[in-house]
Amino acid sequence: MKLERISSNKIKYSITFEELTKKGFLQDELLRDSFVWDVLFDEMLDEASRIYELNDFGAVSIEIFSLTSRELVLILTLEEEEPWQNSPSPAKDELPKSKSSLGLLYRFEEFDDIILFVKRVASLNKSCDSSSLFAFGDSYYLKIDGVCGLSETIESLCSEYGEKAGLSEAYLEDYGVKIIDKEAFPLIRSHF
């Protein structure tokens, strides 16, 4: 059994069927019995909590990354509990950040669409200095942090030139190619 931390909230868990058999799990049971999966997931969470000293986490999603004849590889994604969720009635300043301060992630089919979008935002005399550009598959992804003070305007412009990404930034970090880190707007604006 191997555990490997992929990111701050993702853990890769690999276990061979031989190890599962030693723990009392039969291969046939894994394929048809949901109770066995519950027991296995609980054991995985206990082991991850012990090794990585995880104390407070909320929901956990588990995806089967690979199921071969030799081993089972799973990815655990842990959501950390927000401190404001535990209080009965949070004060206004304790509420989670609004969408405008969290950032946006949009997909663009062509690099030219990103250039046009950046020029359009610049024509509004707005600056999006904290932005990153990724490539994944046949598309480009632009992550804009802080949303430049005009979130609704920026979102509508993003929708005009691209579309909301169906991927998370963490997924892009793992499987995509980061072309520009944190300075996409200024670099694109100065070079095109």
Side-chain angles (χ1 to χ4, degrees):
M1 171 175 44
K2 292 189 302 188
L3 269 84
E4 176 186 349
R5 193 157 206 163
I6 298 173
S7 66
S8 63
N9 69 333
K10 286 186 184 265
I11 297 170
K12 179 179 169 185
Y13 185 89
S14 306
I15 187 165
T16 65
F17 282 108
E18 184 180 310
E19 290 172 316
L20 286 169
T21 304
K22 285 180 184 175
K23 290 179 174 283
F25 298 110
L26 301 175
Q27 192 167 355
D28 292 342
E29 289 178 330
L30 286 171
L31 298 175
R32 60 180 161 81
D33 192 356
S34 63
F35 176 73
V36 172
W37 285 101
D38 290 340
V39 172
L40 180 61
F41 294 153
D42 286 343
E43 193 173 303
M44 289 167 43
L45 284 173
D46 290 344
E47 186 74 12
S49 295
R50 186 180 59 76
I51 291 173
Y52 297 112
E53 298 177 1
L54 304 171
N55 297 324
D56 297 323
F57 55 88
V60 177
S61 64
I62 301 172
E63 60 184 299
I64 298 176
F65 187 71
S66 151
L67 176 62
T68 65
S69 60
R70 293 178 36 202
E71 76 175 345
L72 178 65
V73 178
L74 301 136
I75 304 290
L76 293 116
T77 304
L78 310 170
E79 289 183 22
E80 293 184 21
E81 286 187 5
E82 301 286 337
W84 60 270
Q85 288 176 333
N86 296 331
S87 62
S89 58
K92 208 172 197 178
D93 58 351
E94 293 179 56
L95 292 174
K97 295 178 180 179
S98 67
K99 187 175 9 176
S100 65
S101 62
L102 288 176
L104 302 172
L105 183 61
Y106 273 79
R107 183 181 78 82
F108 297 84
E109 289 186 15
E110 302 290 331
F111 188 74
D112 289 343
D113 294 332
I114 294 174
I115 294 170
L116 292 171
F117 168 69
V118 169
K119 286 182 177 182
R120 184 79 182 274
V121 171
S123 72
L124 297 172
N125 293 323
K126 292 295 171 191
S127 174
C128 293
D129 294 332
S130 183
S131 52
S132 300
L133 180 65
F134 297 87
F136 179 73
D138 295 333
S139 301
Y140 296 95
Y141 293 82
L142 186 63
K143 179 169 187 315
I144 307 167
D145 296 316
V147 195
C148 326
L150 284 178
S151 64
E152 290 177 16
T153 304
I154 299 300
E155 282 189 78
S156 66
L157 288 175
C158 281
S159 297
E160 186 177 326
Y161 293 97
E163 63 185 22
K164 282 194 174 185
L167 305 174
S168 68
E169 183 185 5
Y171 188 85
L172 285 173
E173 291 275 353
D174 290 343
Y175 301 105
V177 175
K178 188 178 280 189
I179 300 170
I180 303 172
D181 187 26
K182 297 182 182 174
E183 297 181 346
F185 264 79
L187 283 174
I188 293 170
R189 194 171 54 238
S190 67
H191 287 80
F192 297 98

